[in-house]
């Protein structure tokens, strides 16, 4: 695809619908490569992962760094209000944007107010040549207002796919019909499933584009009996336990080519952890890391129940720990009430109990992760938790250390494991050769579409019937 399929800059203002796998990111990079200006384009998206992916694609395409400035919508708004703190009208505490207490809503409102007031027009004109916004279906209404304000000054193109808009849980997002197209008139829709064409599975791509997508847009069912050969249906029968084992067997299977994404029920974190542990896979972590931050807030090294609390949490990060048995036997070893020798894991726990401290808890976590009998399915959290525990001092609380490690992780480049487990929210924007969908019956049309479009060579779908009915929300 050397020539852009659509002229993204054909209109001063435009919106482009881009079905999954149809080359949206490639269109952005190929357009930027063929277009030049003395000023860079401002390229905006929603997540740090999306920003990193765009930056990588731009580098790989050999596009000079001065041709594009890539940022998330929120980070650009933060930079704007911090550059003009007095005009923003925000307090120092809001401008500092600290951890989970960051007031992004206030920052977005202030950014819109500053842009619409016209005070920054000359600066915007002198800094950028145009604006490109990716994943526009996920824009909140304040973010949309910010882009509209930018579009008053600069040519602007927005790209997205309404059928992949699964982030509305954090507040109202744009309607493509009511908000997007009135401000940004439609450009031609992308129509070639490049992800699957490049993977030499065009039949799968065209089935997803021309059969599955129209059905899900109409909130209709998807019949797997008419699917191409790259789609494998795993029928679920019997008791709930038997169905669960059949799902895990499908997820555990080693497929002939490449990487695998295992897609579970979004709200069921423990179910995803179980799948990762049983399938020798690794979790894709949510950036808020709620359970990690909860542990950092509650754990007190040296308290009566510190070993219980630590081991109980560590068992959510690795398999091979039996928290109740391990704690009971370790305490018995400490008091001299047992006659049998301590196991390697019990020796690790004993060492902590003899001299408990946050740093010792961090060492215990690292030692358990390296033990022969454990398998770490959440390596990112193990690493962050150990670092946070070892960073505690008289002046630095575990909560503060945890926030610091989490924020550092958010902005660090990451590589995907060969076998990854997550929800559609976490795996959206990612792809692998194989995708295993464990519980499609719990997904609405948008989440089901995201799940079905993650695998470039093979889809494995576990369900009680070969007709998938989108869950109504």
């Amino acid at each position: 695809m050397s020539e852009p399929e659509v002229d993204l800059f054909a209109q001063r203002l435009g919106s482009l619908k881009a079905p999954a796998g149809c080359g949206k990111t490639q269109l952005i990079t190929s357009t930027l490569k063929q277009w030049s200006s003395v000023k860079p384009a401002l390229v905006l998206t929603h997540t740090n992962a999306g920003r990193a992916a765009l930056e990588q694609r731009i580098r790989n395409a050999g596009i000079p760094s001065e041709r594009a400035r890539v940022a998330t919508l929120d980070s650009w708004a933060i930079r704007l209000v911090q550059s003009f703190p007095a005009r923003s009208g925000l307090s120092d505490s809001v401008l500092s944007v600290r951890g989970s207490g960051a007031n992004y809503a206030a920052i977005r409102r202030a950014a819109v107010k500053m842009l619409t007031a016209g005070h920054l027009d000359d600066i915007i004109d002198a800094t950028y040549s145009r604006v490109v916004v990716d994943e526009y279906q996920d824009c909140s209404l304040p973010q949309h207002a910010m882009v509209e304000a930018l579009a008053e000054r600069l040519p602007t193109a927005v790209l997205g796919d309404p059928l992949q808009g699964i982030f509305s849980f954090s507040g109202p997002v744009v309607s493509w019909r009511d908000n997007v197209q009135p401000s940004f008139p439609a450009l031609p829709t992308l129509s070639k499933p490049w992800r699957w064409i490049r993977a030499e599975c065009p039949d799968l791509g065209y089935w997803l584009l021309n059969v599955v997508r129209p059905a899900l847009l109409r909130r209709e069912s998807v019949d797997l009996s008419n699917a191409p050969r790259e789609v494998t249906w795993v029928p679920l029968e019997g008791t709930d336990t038997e169905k669960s084992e059949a799902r895990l067997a499908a997820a555990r299977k080693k497929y002939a080519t490449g990487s695998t994404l295992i897609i579970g029920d979004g709200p069921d974190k423990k179910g995803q952890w179980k799948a990762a542990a049983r399938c020798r896979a690794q979790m894709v972590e949510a950036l808020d890391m709620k359970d990690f931050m909860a542990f950092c807030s509650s754990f007190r090294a040296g308290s009566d129940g510190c070993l219980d609390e630590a081991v109980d949490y560590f068992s959510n990060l690795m398999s091979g720990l039996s928290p109740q048995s391990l704690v009971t036997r370790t305490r018995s070893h400490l008091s001299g009430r047992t006659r049998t020798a301590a196991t390697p894991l019990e020796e690790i726990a004993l060492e902590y109990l003899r001299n408990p401290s946050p740093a010792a808890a961090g060492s215990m976590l690292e030692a358990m992760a390296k033990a022969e009998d454990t398998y770490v399915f959440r390596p990112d959290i193990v690493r962050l938790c150990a670092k946070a525990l070892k960073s505690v001092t008289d002046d630095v609380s575990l909560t503060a250390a945890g926030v610091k490690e989490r924020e550092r992780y958010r902005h660090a480049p990451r590589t995907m494991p060969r076998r990854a487990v997550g929800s559609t929210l976490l795996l959206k924007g990612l792809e692998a050769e194989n995708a295993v969908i464990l519980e499609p019956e719990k997904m609405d049309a948008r989440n089901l579409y995201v799940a079905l479009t993650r695998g470039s060579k093979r889809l494995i779908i576990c369900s009680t019937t070969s007709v998938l009915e989108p869950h109504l929300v």
Side-chain angles (χ1 to χ4, degrees):
M1 199 167 66
S2 57
E3 293 292 326
E5 185 178 341
V6 174
D7 185 354
L8 191 57
F9 298 161
Q11 305 167 182
R12 183 185 178 278
L13 303 177
S15 62
L16 182 141
K17 284 185 182 180
C22 286
K24 173 168 57 68
T25 306
Q26 179 62 35
L27 175 64
I28 293 172
T29 55
S30 59
T31 300
L32 289 173
K33 187 168 185 176
Q34 294 192 9
W35 172 84
S36 63
S37 171
V38 295
K39 295 176 290 185
L42 174 61
V43 184
L44 300 171
T45 189
H46 287 269
T47 64
N48 286 307
R51 173 195 54 77
L54 277 169
E55 288 178 331
Q56 184 64 50
R57 292 287 285 271
I58 288 171
R59 283 195 298 270
N60 291 346
I63 298 171
S65 59
E66 63 269 16
R67 197 171 292 180
R69 297 285 184 267
V70 185
T72 67
L73 284 152
D74 281 340
S75 69
W76 191 82
I78 290 167
R79 189 160 66 247
L80 182 69
V81 299
Q82 289 178 340
S83 298
F84 304 93
R87 285 202 181 279
S88 76
L90 297 174
S91 66
D92 290 343
S93 61
V94 174
L95 288 169
S96 65
V97 198
R98 289 178 183 157
S100 59
N103 193 340
Y104 290 104
I107 291 168
R108 292 165 188 157
R109 288 194 299 269
V112 172
K113 184 177 179 181
M114 292 170 67
L115 290 168
T116 55
H119 302 305
L120 307 179
D121 287 354
D122 291 343
I123 296 172
I124 296 295
D125 288 343
T127 306
Y128 306 110
S129 57
R130 59 171 55 247
V131 179
V132 178
V133 190
D134 195 14
E135 302 292 353
Y136 207 77
Q137 76 279 347
D138 296 325
C139 268
S140 67
L141 294 179
Q143 289 172 329
H144 174 58
M146 186 173 75
V147 176
E148 285 184 310
L150 281 169
E152 290 290 324
R153 303 301 312 169
L154 300 171
T156 300
V158 303
L159 304 90
D161 179 9
L163 194 52
Q164 295 183 73
I166 59 175
F167 285 94
S168 58
F169 59 87
S170 59
V173 296
V174 292
S175 160
W176 207 267
R177 182 192 65 188
D178 299 333
N179 305 120
V180 179
Q181 288 187 339
S183 297
F184 303 101
L187 290 162
T189 300
L190 297 182
S191 59
K192 291 186 179 180
W194 290 106
R195 176 178 299 163
W196 297 277
I197 291 171
R198 292 195 186 96
E200 299 181 347
C201 298
D203 290 345
L204 176 58
Y206 282 110
W207 177 72
L208 290 166
L209 183 63
N210 297 328
V211 178
V212 171
R213 182 180 175 84
L216 292 179
L217 282 169
R218 296 189 298 266
R219 302 300 190 265
E220 295 175 356
S221 60
V222 175
D223 189 351
L224 299 180
S225 65
N226 298 319
R229 59 184 177 82
E230 291 90 352
V231 178
T232 299
W233 172 48
V234 178
L236 303 178
E237 301 175 338
T239 65
D240 288 344
T241 299
E242 290 170 333
K243 291 175 183 177
S244 177
E245 289 301 316
R247 292 188 187 99
L248 291 172
R252 276 197 305 269
K253 187 175 178 181
K254 296 292 194 299
Y255 296 97
T257 55
S259 56
T260 299
L261 295 178
I262 301 166
I263 307 171
D265 177 28
D268 184 11
K269 288 299 176 188
K270 290 190 175 180
Q272 293 176 41
W273 298 344
K274 179 182 178 181
R278 292 279 299 275
C279 300
R280 310 289 283 186
Q282 295 179 14
M283 285 296 303
V284 175
E285 300 290 346
L287 292 181
D288 58 8
M289 301 181 185
K290 289 182 179 179
D291 65 304
F292 167 57
M293 293 310 305
F295 173 76
C296 289
S297 299
S298 65
F299 180 68
R300 299 293 180 269
S303 65
D304 289 343
C306 62
L307 180 64
D308 308 60
E309 185 178 357
V311 173
D312 183 62
Y313 181 61
F314 297 167
S315 69
N316 293 325
L317 311 178
M318 65 188 82
S319 60
L321 297 182
S322 299
Q324 185 174 357
S325 173
L326 177 57
V327 169
T328 299
R329 283 186 54 80
T330 300
R331 293 193 183 281
S332 295
H333 286 304
L334 188 67
S335 64
R337 296 196 307 270
T338 58
R339 297 180 180 179
T340 57
T343 66
L345 286 173
E346 290 163 4
E347 287 286 3
I348 293 168
L350 263 174
E351 185 175 349
Y352 169 71
L353 269 187
R354 290 184 181 120
N355 188 20
S357 70
S363 296
M364 176 173 62
L365 173 57
E366 290 175 330
M368 287 180 170
K370 294 175 183 176
E372 185 177 349
D373 295 332
T374 62
Y375 172 73
V376 175
F377 55 87
R378 300 179 69 189
D380 291 331
I381 303 298
V382 167
R383 185 173 61 257
L384 297 182
C385 191
K387 284 185 177 180
L389 286 163
K390 291 185 173 185
S391 299
V392 175
T393 66
D394 291 340
D395 299 320
V396 179
S397 68
L398 180 55
T399 299
V403 168
K404 181 178 180 180
E405 293 302 327
R406 182 188 65 179
E407 295 307 303
R408 183 181 297 167
Y409 174 85
R410 283 178 166 178
H411 298 280
R414 292 185 290 280
T415 57
M416 288 301 299
R418 190 170 179 81
R419 296 172 63 78
V421 178
S423 64
T424 51
L425 283 172
L426 298 177
L427 301 180
K428 181 177 177 287
L430 302 177
E431 64 176 276
E433 283 83 359
N434 313 292
V436 183
I437 307 173
L438 299 180
E439 297 185 86
E441 69 278 0
K442 294 184 178 180
M443 297 178 181
D444 63 17
R446 293 180 177 185
N447 282 277
L448 182 57
Y449 180 68
V450 169
L452 289 169
T453 53
R454 294 311 94 198
S456 63
K457 288 183 175 291
R458 182 183 295 272
L459 284 177
I460 300 92
I461 302 168
C462 307
S463 61
T464 56
T465 172
S466 63
V467 178
L468 305 181
E469 298 282 354
H471 178 65
L472 297 178
V473 295

